[in-house]
Amino acid sequence: MTSDPPSLSDADALAALAGSFSGRLITDAAQMAPFLIDWRKAWTGTALAVVQPDTAQDVAHVMAWAHANRISVTPQGGNTGLAGGSQPAMQGRNIVVSTARLNRVRAVDAQNSTITVEAGVILQTLQQAAADAGRLFPLSLAAEGSCTIGGNLATNAGGVGVLRYGNTRDLCLGLEVVTPDGRLWDGLRGLRKDNTGYDLRDLYIGSEGTLGVITAAVMKLYPAPAAKVAAFVGLETAHQATALLQLAQARAGATLTAFELISDRALALVLKHFPATRPPFDSAQRWNVLLEISTPVSEAEGRAELEALLAAALDQGVAADAVVAGSLAQSQALWALRERISESQSAEGASLKHDISVPISRIADFIPAGEAALLAIAPGARLVAFGHLGDGNLHYNVSFPEGGDGAAFMALRPQINLAIHDLVAAHDGSISAEHGLGLLRRDEAARYRPAVETDLMQAIKRALDPLNLMNPGKVLPPL
Amino acid sequence: MTSDPPSLSDADALAALAGSFSGRLITDAAQMAPFLIDWRKAWTGTALAVVQPDTAQDVAHVMAWAHANRISVTPQGGNTGLAGGSQPAMQGRNIVVSTARLNRVRAVDAQNSTITVEAGVILQTLQQAAADAGRLFPLSLAAEGSCTIGGNLATNAGGVGVLRYGNTRDLCLGLEVVTPDGRLWDGLRGLRKDNTGYDLRDLYIGSEGTLGVITAAVMKLYPAPAAKVAAFVGLETAHQATALLQLAQARAGATLTAFELISDRALALVLKHFPATRPPFDSAQRWNVLLEISTPVSEAEGRAELEALLAAALDQGVAADAVVAGSLAQSQALWALRERISESQSAEGASLKHDISVPISRIADFIPAGEAALLAIAPGARLVAFGHLGDGNLHYNVSFPEGGDGAAFMALRPQINLAIHDLVAAHDGSISAEHGLGLLRRDEAARYRPAVETDLMQAIKRALDPLNLMNPGKVLPPL
């Protein structure tokens, strides 16, 4: 990371800021470095300072200062994003506003099933605070030990609980936001119904820090289930998987809390790279589904429900083999087969990721069509398809050809991305289901989005951030 | 209704419009009249014409014409709104764009659990189309036989299914919208996950026609439950009702699909004005809750679940009496006691309505505090509280003093509204939970809303409708 030293006027501006707010001001290059590079080490930005305000009022103060000095601001939570949304720009006068010190759980209202948290609260801390109150906060994703709720909101994060509980957007009732000119909006409502004007909340959610800084939120809580029970199902075709989903939703209703698709190749990679894992079936199946029931009654009841469901599935020919976890340890072992896919694929070598969604009714046709398009560009490339089938969301990833040249494969990335994303568009899908746009998918998204839609988004950006100070260059192509 | 005849230039403009689009152009005053007055006969507007386009493209054509001629447009669905949002302005050059002919179900995708409908589809028609595909469309409200999905979206309508399925917003995946300058935005996505830019969908939902014309939508469908079973519970205090809600949610999870509070006075009015109705208990209870379980399994299973839940409630002292419907007819009879409250109150005479929400944890304290404030202004006035307790949403209505002067009572309306709404604000609540602002609550909402929030809304309005052509004067005070 290299950056020019701040000019005198920048130094003067920083001197004026220092001591005028409560929090931490970091200007040392070495200390700033981890805030300027993303988790995947793909993007590096520059900044005059990294600022960690203590309170939302301090954020407002910092933002007013940035506004007066025409300095760009990139909000940053746990910096675990996958799309390059939380680094400052590579040029210009920028600061990072880190939410690290905005880490208070402000209130838990168990009877209202809500929790009010500051943006820098780690997702796992939030989950624990809910559990301590006898409630469930259902958002759950791989980075939960280090990502923050502010980042989850800014990217509308998904994860493994969406089938039942929705995306982060669906879990939020109210927001506190600092505007680009340094005003603090208190929209921290804990209401299930409130029709008193435009939905600003959902506009900030998913805007990746380009419209303002989310400083706190009121999130929904749910009754903690009495037990969760997982099962692993083997299938011959992806069409069977969507049919099984229909059956499971009809029979289990909202107690069905996960429905994850895992291809044979994805499972084989986990078994290869994690020798402690065990195959769920005696003979490998072309497709696998990990499904989970969360029951309000008891573990025994959940297991009985799941066994009856799978018996019906075998009976109707929408499952070829099935195993129900007999204990919490067995459930965890089944989940590990799903959770270790990403790491296994990394361990295997060069790979590409696509975070896509298509209507559930088209997913089984999309999978082979995408593979054909892939193989036409990169013969021998290995499709590693898995993901949240119940949400229509696949991590449609690709590993380099076995025994092939990883670098040569990676050089095909633009063509492969384009072919897969064109096909996603042809299937009425989305090229960014849960990871957001950041820098990674900004221009691709603009390519597929109707022009009028981009115009409307640009109009909103201009209206709410007329000086283009908030996380410039992210989400939307520069004006 | 009186209005000036159109000037020559207006006549010329209308002549240019007529025949240039497919649909119906109504300019006859008598034929226009029902479109210019609201359902409660509280507001009457004026219009040069009522236009009923045949297709979304025709709406775009009409809107471009209106834009070129600087004519204001009020979109109108079933015209069943309660807040005066669907009448044109009382002065100026306006048209009504009625969605009456945009009434096609464009597609049902049972496997994706989605339905694509035009804005003018009647809610009941949509429910039926879902049922025909073996699915449930869960939005349900009193006006469902005549309101349209476009109006439901424009007002983010609530109803009796919100506890489980959410408001109209939560049921929508994609929109088609005509902008104020006549461009057609196709955002008709049927995806559960899509993070590719700002959330325009939720901005249009609930904006009451002030930002554009919703012409079609992709709505979510759910598995049809095997059975619904209702129960009526008598309680001594409102605190018991919120405790019962906690218990019911913990035990029944998402199978709890309704939780409606009914005061003794509300129930008594129904029994008085609908002589065919029967009291649910031998001795009247101070409070009543109508709750409903929707089970994916069977009616017998649902009844057993409900009986076990109510046994636990009686055991824990959060219910004083309870009856579970033994048949569909009994369930309907119990629901009738809830559904006929509004009519009964109208039959009783002069009354005021408040459509409010507060956090569920504060509702039991709010109710008597509001009654005390009410009685200080209008001694003898009768609080008739009922509504969607599970959503924190009460119809906190008031009937005139028994034997008193209805007109004198109605003259107190501004003071009563103010006192109740001040108290709602003090309880962190909303003065318009599910009916929207329209004209009725526009200025009151602005009074309680933080100034920065109103500023942000005005900025969005200016950005998306710079000529202020869309339903001017609704939702936000004039700029």
Side-chain angles (χ1 to χ4, degrees):
Chain A
M1 196 276 309
T2 60
S3 69
D4 295 326
S7 69
L8 189 62
S9 67
D10 291 339
D12 283 349
L14 287 170
L17 178 63
S20 75
F21 76 106
S22 175
R24 189 159 169 240
L25 180 68
I26 306 169
T27 53
D28 175 77
Q31 286 184 53
M32 285 202 293
F35 297 91
L36 305 184
I37 187 165
D38 77 298
W39 189 79
R40 295 164 84 174
K41 317 276 186 230
W43 298 275
T44 304
T46 69
L48 305 177
V50 172
V51 189
Q52 296 182 325
D54 278 349
T55 68
Q57 279 296 351
D58 290 310
V59 175
H61 184 84
V62 170
M63 200 65 237
W65 168 88
H67 189 261
N69 290 283
R70 304 295 191 263
I71 289 169
S72 297
V73 173
T74 294
Q76 189 178 101
N79 199 14
T80 60
L82 298 174
S86 60
Q87 284 63 58
M90 279 163 251
Q91 61 279 316
R93 300 162 68 231
N94 320 305
I95 60 168
V96 171
V97 169
S98 155
T99 59
R101 293 161 78 99
L102 295 171
N103 59 359
R104 283 160 289 253
V105 174
R106 290 196 194 159
V108 180
D109 184 343
Q111 201 171 38
N112 194 43
S113 287
T114 50
I115 186 167
T116 306
V117 288
E118 293 185 345
V121 169
I122 303 291
L123 175 52
Q124 212 163 59
T125 307
L126 204 174
Q127 293 166 344
Q128 189 57 51
D132 292 346
R135 293 287 187 276
L136 171 73
F137 182 67
L139 186 67
S140 178
L141 45 90
E144 63 196 25
S146 51
C147 67
T148 63
I149 190 63
N152 301 147
L153 287 160
T155 58
N156 186 28
V160 294
V162 175
L163 179 66
R164 163 66 182 98
Y165 301 102
N167 297 287
T168 307
R169 179 188 308 291
D170 303 295
L171 299 172
C172 180
L173 292 175
L175 286 182
E176 180 186 78
V177 173
V178 172
T179 64
D181 56 358
R183 291 179 294 166
L184 183 65
W185 169 49
D186 178 357
L188 289 174
R189 297 173 193 124
L191 304 171
R192 266 77 184 172
K193 282 184 174 171
D194 176 29
N195 279 337
T196 53
Y198 301 156
D199 183 8
L200 299 177
R201 178 189 68 205
D202 286 313
L203 193 54
Y204 289 112
I205 295 173
S207 68
E208 303 186 33
T210 64
L211 299 177
V213 187
I214 294 172
T215 52
V218 181
M219 307 302 294
K220 288 186 203 170
L221 302 178
Y222 285 83
K228 295 180 183 184
V229 185
F232 221 79
V233 182
L235 312 104
E236 285 149 21
T237 69
H239 280 287
Q240 281 180 318
T242 49
L244 177 61
L245 175 64
Q246 309 294 313
L247 179 69
Q249 289 185 314
R251 286 186 65 114
T255 64
L256 182 71
T257 46
F259 196 98
E260 298 284 315
L261 183 72
I262 302 168
S263 72
D264 51 357
R265 188 176 279 135
L267 182 59
L269 285 177
V270 173
L271 296 171
K272 173 180 173 185
H273 291 284
F274 287 88
T277 55
R278 291 281 163 268
F281 307 119
D282 292 337
S283 56
Q285 302 289 334
R286 174 70 186 92
W287 292 100
N288 305 274
V289 165
L290 172 65
L291 52 76
E292 184 186 76
I293 296 277
S294 296
T295 166
V297 186
S298 69
E299 188 170 333
E301 196 271 352
R303 191 168 300 124
E305 185 181 343
L306 204 40
E307 282 166 356
L309 164 61
L310 295 177
L314 290 163
D315 201 47
Q316 295 180 24
V318 296
D321 206 344
V323 53
V324 176
S327 65
L328 185 60
Q330 282 183 27
S331 272
Q332 289 169 338
L334 293 179
W335 267 107
L337 298 175
R338 163 66 182 86
E339 286 163 352
R340 288 176 174 162
I341 298 173
S342 285
E343 284 169 272
S344 303
Q345 208 184 359
S346 296
E348 182 72 6
S351 69
L352 300 179
K353 293 178 193 289
H354 302 95
D355 168 41
I356 60 138
S357 66
V358 296
I360 293 163
S361 51
R362 306 190 70 179
I363 210 161
D365 291 333
F366 171 84
I367 291 172
E371 189 165 25
L374 165 69
L375 295 177
I377 298 168
R382 291 170 287 171
L383 174 64
V384 181
F386 64 99
H388 319 293
L389 182 67
D391 315 319
N393 175 200
L394 286 186
H395 298 301
Y396 197 82
N397 296 351
V398 187
S399 283
F400 75 115
E402 197 151 17
D405 178 347
F409 168 73
M410 291 306 281
L412 296 171
R413 182 179 188 150
Q415 295 100 295
I416 295 174
N417 277 177
L418 182 66
I420 298 300
H421 288 165
D422 278 355
L423 205 66
V424 166
H427 284 74
D428 297 325
S430 169
I431 67 157
S432 184
E434 59 174 10
H435 293 167
L437 299 180
L439 286 170
L440 177 66
R441 301 288 184 216
R442 180 192 74 181
D443 296 339
E444 285 170 281
R447 182 177 129 79
Y448 295 107
R449 198 189 286 127
V452 60
E453 188 173 339
T454 297
D455 285 353
L456 291 165
M457 290 181 187
Q458 300 276 27
I460 288 167
K461 171 71 171 172
R462 278 193 301 268
L464 298 190
D465 181 23
L467 300 180
N468 191 27
L469 295 178
M470 292 305 314
N471 212 8
K474 313 296 165 49
V475 181
L476 294 173
L479 291 170
Chain B
M1 199 273 309
T2 60
S3 69
D4 296 325
S7 69
L8 189 60
S9 66
D10 291 339
D12 283 350
L14 287 170
L17 178 63
S20 74
F21 75 107
S22 174
R24 188 161 169 237
L25 181 68
I26 305 169
T27 53
D28 174 77
Q31 287 184 51
M32 287 203 291
F35 297 90
L36 305 184
I37 187 165
D38 77 298
W39 188 79
R40 293 162 86 173
K41 317 276 185 231
W43 299 275
T44 305
T46 69
L48 304 175
V50 173
V51 189
Q52 297 182 325
D54 277 350
T55 69
Q57 280 296 351
D58 290 310
V59 174
H61 184 85
V62 171
M63 202 63 237
W65 168 87
H67 188 262
N69 289 284
R70 303 294 191 265
I71 289 169
S72 297
V73 172
T74 294
Q76 189 178 100
N79 199 13
T80 60
L82 297 175
S86 61
Q87 283 63 58
M90 279 164 251
Q91 62 279 315
R93 299 162 70 229
N94 321 304
I95 61 169
V96 171
V97 169
S98 156
T99 59
R101 293 162 77 101
L102 296 171
N103 59 0
R104 283 160 289 253
V105 175
R106 289 195 193 160
V108 180
D109 184 343
Q111 201 170 39
N112 194 43
S113 289
T114 50
I115 187 168
T116 306
V117 287
E118 294 185 343
V121 169
I122 302 291
L123 175 52
Q124 211 163 59
T125 306
L126 204 174
Q127 293 166 342
Q128 189 57 50
D132 292 346
R135 292 289 186 276
L136 171 73
F137 182 67
L139 185 67
S140 178
L141 45 90
E144 63 195 26
S146 51
C147 67
T148 64
I149 189 63
N152 301 147
L153 286 160
T155 57
N156 186 28
V160 294
V162 175
L163 179 66
R164 162 68 181 98
Y165 301 102
N167 297 287
T168 307
R169 179 188 308 289
D170 304 294
L171 300 172
C172 180
L173 292 175
L175 286 183
E176 181 185 78
V177 172
V178 172
T179 65
D181 56 358
R183 292 179 295 166
L184 184 65
W185 169 49
D186 178 358
L188 289 174
R189 298 175 192 122
L191 304 171
R192 265 78 184 172
K193 281 184 175 172
D194 176 29
N195 279 337
T196 54
Y198 300 155
D199 183 7
L200 300 177
R201 177 190 68 207
D202 287 313
L203 193 54
Y204 289 112
I205 295 174
S207 68
E208 304 186 32
T210 63
L211 299 177
V213 187
I214 295 172
T215 52
V218 181
M219 306 302 295
K220 288 186 203 170
L221 301 178
Y222 286 83
K228 295 180 184 182
V229 186
F232 221 80
V233 182
L235 312 102
E236 283 150 22
T237 69
H239 280 286
Q240 282 181 318
T242 50
L244 177 62
L245 175 65
Q246 308 294 314
L247 179 70
Q249 289 186 314
R251 287 186 66 114
T255 63
L256 182 72
T257 45
F259 197 97
E260 299 284 316
L261 184 72
I262 303 167
S263 73
D264 51 357
R265 188 176 280 136
L267 182 59
L269 285 177
V270 173
L271 296 171
K272 172 180 173 186
H273 292 284
F274 288 88
T277 56
R278 290 281 164 267
F281 307 119
D282 292 338
S283 55
Q285 303 288 334
R286 173 70 186 90
W287 291 100
N288 306 273
V289 165
L290 173 65
L291 52 75
E292 184 187 74
I293 297 276
S294 297
T295 167
V297 186
S298 69
E299 188 170 333
E301 196 271 350
R303 191 168 300 123
E305 185 182 343
L306 203 41
E307 281 166 358
L309 164 61
L310 296 178
L314 290 162
D315 201 47
Q316 296 179 25
V318 296
D321 206 345
V323 55
V324 176
S327 66
L328 185 60
Q330 282 183 27
S331 272
Q332 289 169 339
L334 294 179
W335 268 106
L337 297 175
R338 163 67 182 85
E339 287 163 350
R340 289 179 174 161
I341 298 172
S342 285
E343 282 169 273
S344 302
Q345 208 184 358
S346 295
E348 182 73 4
S351 68
L352 300 180
K353 293 177 193 289
H354 302 96
D355 168 40
I356 60 138
S357 66
V358 296
I360 292 163
S361 51
R362 306 189 70 178
I363 209 162
D365 290 333
F366 171 83
I367 291 171
E371 189 166 24
L374 164 70
L375 295 177
I377 297 168
R382 290 171 288 170
L383 174 64
V384 181
F386 64 99
H388 319 294
L389 182 68
D391 315 318
N393 175 201
L394 287 186
H395 298 301
Y396 197 81
N397 296 351
V398 187
S399 283
F400 74 116
E402 198 150 15
D405 177 348
F409 168 73
M410 291 306 280
L412 296 171
R413 181 178 188 152
Q415 294 101 294
I416 295 173
N417 277 179
L418 183 66
I420 298 299
H421 288 165
D422 278 355
L423 204 67
V424 166
H427 284 74
D428 297 325
S430 169
I431 67 157
S432 183
E434 60 173 10
H435 293 167
L437 300 181
L439 286 171
L440 177 66
R441 302 288 184 216
R442 181 192 74 182
D443 296 338
E444 285 171 282
R447 182 178 129 79
Y448 295 107
R449 198 190 286 128
V452 59
E453 187 173 342
T454 297
D455 285 353
L456 291 165
M457 290 181 187
Q458 300 276 27
I460 288 166
K461 171 69 172 174
R462 278 192 301 268
L464 298 189
D465 181 22
L467 300 180
N468 192 27
L469 294 178
M470 292 306 313
N471 213 8
K474 312 297 163 49
V475 181
L476 294 172
L479 292 169

